[in-house]
Amino acid sequence: MFAITIRELSKYESETKKTKVNDATKLNLVKDLNFKTDNDALPFYKLPVKTLLHIYKTTKKDEENGYCKNRLYYIADRIKCPPSVLSQCIARRTFIYNLPFNWLESSLNVLLDMGVAGDRILRDLWVLKYHHKTIYERLQKVKNTGIDTLNPWMVRCSEDILNRSIQIFQETKSILGDNKSTKMYLANRLNISPEIIEDMYRKVPALKTTRAVKVKNFLDFLLEQGFSLEDITSKARILTASQNTVKQRLEKLRDLGLHTINLNVLCRSRKDFKKYCESIETITKEQS
């Protein structure tokens, strides 16, 4: 038998009525936001009434001023994105409806004029919160260094991170030269075909995302240490390891009296490498 008090029942009925009222209010507000399809509107039903009310007021003001029927469609048209896709993003980034329309328009103008791809803007709508002058200054600074592919994060990141990214780009560019890609650089350095590099990428996925600067420095180091191009090609995983760790391990093994060293040994886990060294030490003691 259920023991529900009159007070609890009254509270439940009150909450139920409130939910129904909220649902009805949401329905009416969303209907008045000029959505063209149900799919476009769907994500907005998840928003609280207070947020929807603000979006409604902004939308009506935009209409009165002749800006647009709904900012969803305005942005979707500018960045060439299906409204149903953008709707899911904007429902999580409702600050779009807090910005003055002129601010939003100016920020979009600069981003698109500077060549930032629409899909990149879609993935980082936060960039629209930045003043158009800030966006221009940041992206122009990057563009002046020779970087053609511009991203919204370049506007939002700290000055230190931006400068570091520019430095990495310039170092990479000086290393790659006419090769244009790390893959072609590796192919030329190792004297093998790009197809073999692709096979290496499949076997060692981390190699594909290894920066050109690291690849160049590591290759130089390994060749200086006496390893051949064939050794490196057959054991490409070495290029994804820490150069400092490899250097320390080489010194350790040479201190143990080893002259011929397999690159695979240098890639072992810390535990396995320690065991390997201990086995060498044991053999050395037995022979002495």
Side-chain angles (χ1 to χ4, degrees), residues 47 87-98 122-126:
L47 298 175
S87 179
Q88 297 173 43
C89 300
I90 286 188
R92 297 193 299 270
R93 304 284 185 266
T94 55
F95 69 84
I96 292 293
Y97 293 92
N98 298 340
L122 173 67
R123 292 196 296 269
D124 197 351
L125 291 171
W126 290 110

Side-chain angles (χ1 to χ4, degrees), residues 36-276:
K36 296 177 182 178
T37 70
D38 290 339
N39 281 341
D40 297 346
L42 199 57
F44 283 73
Y45 285 107
K46 298 177 183 178
L47 298 175
V49 170
K50 185 177 179 181
T51 303
L52 285 172
L53 190 58
H54 178 76
I55 293 173
Y56 170 80
K57 290 177 180 177
T58 300
T59 300
K60 292 307 164 187
K61 188 176 180 181
D62 286 347
E63 274 192 283
E64 289 170 9
N65 291 322
Y67 296 145
C68 62
K69 293 285 188 180
N70 187 310
R71 294 187 179 190
L72 167 70
Y73 298 109
Y74 172 74
I75 297 173
D77 180 63
R78 296 296 307 276
I79 67 174
K80 308 304 177 191
C81 170
S84 58
V85 174
L86 180 61
S87 179
Q88 297 173 43
C89 300
I90 286 188
R92 297 193 299 270
R93 304 284 185 266
T94 55
F95 69 84
I96 292 293
Y97 293 92
N98 298 340
L99 302 172
F101 186 84
N102 290 339
W103 179 295
L104 176 65
E105 182 180 40
S106 298
S107 295
L108 271 172
N109 284 344
V110 173
L111 287 165
L112 295 171
D113 288 347
M114 294 293 283
V116 179
D119 62 320
R120 296 178 189 275
I121 298 173
L122 173 67
R123 292 196 296 269
D124 197 351
L125 291 171
W126 290 110
V127 72
L128 297 174
K129 292 185 81 170
Y130 288 77
H131 193 272
H132 67 276
K133 287 185 179 178
T134 301
I135 296 173
Y136 176 80
E137 288 169 3
R138 269 300 186 93
L139 294 183
Q140 190 59 51
K141 175 181 178 178
V142 175
K143 212 167 188 178
N144 288 342
T145 66
I147 298 176
D148 296 321
T149 304
L150 302 178
N151 291 288
W153 66 261
M154 295 171 175
V155 176
R156 301 198 302 109
C157 69
S158 69
E159 198 72 26
D160 287 344
I161 290 176
L162 183 65
N163 290 335
R164 176 61 181 149
S165 298
I166 291 172
Q167 181 186 349
I168 290 171
F169 168 80
Q170 291 173 333
E171 289 173 350
T172 301
K173 188 177 180 181
S174 67
I175 290 167
L176 297 182
D178 295 331
N179 291 308
K180 300 296 183 184
S181 69
T182 305
K183 180 175 80 172
M184 292 306 299
Y185 174 77
L186 261 176
N188 288 335
R189 282 295 304 268
L190 296 176
N191 197 26
I192 55 179
S193 70
E195 288 73 25
I196 295 177
I197 298 295
E198 281 294 341
D199 189 50
M200 288 164 63
Y201 283 167
R202 281 190 289 273
K203 293 176 181 176
V204 189
L207 183 59
K208 194 170 185 177
T209 55
T210 303
R211 292 204 306 264
V213 176
K214 178 181 178 179
V215 170
K216 188 236 182 238
N217 292 339
F218 218 156
L219 277 172
D220 290 345
F221 169 75
L222 291 172
L223 292 171
E224 286 171 5
Q225 295 299 314
F227 295 101
S228 68
L229 292 177
E230 291 74 18
D231 287 334
I232 299 168
T233 301
S234 62
K235 301 171 183 70
R237 189 160 64 99
I238 190 69
L239 294 173
T240 64
S242 162
Q243 186 174 327
N244 285 335
T245 300
V246 169
K247 183 180 179 182
Q248 291 169 10
R249 290 182 173 186
L250 275 172
E251 291 171 354
K252 172 74 174 175
L253 293 175
R254 283 169 179 160
D255 287 343
L256 291 173
L258 290 183
H259 299 292
T260 303
I261 299 171
N262 190 309
L263 284 176
N264 282 337
V265 173
L266 302 175
C267 294
R268 290 186 179 185
S269 67
R270 185 180 300 177
K271 184 178 179 181
D272 286 346
F273 182 75
K274 185 179 179 182
K275 284 183 179 179
Y276 181 79

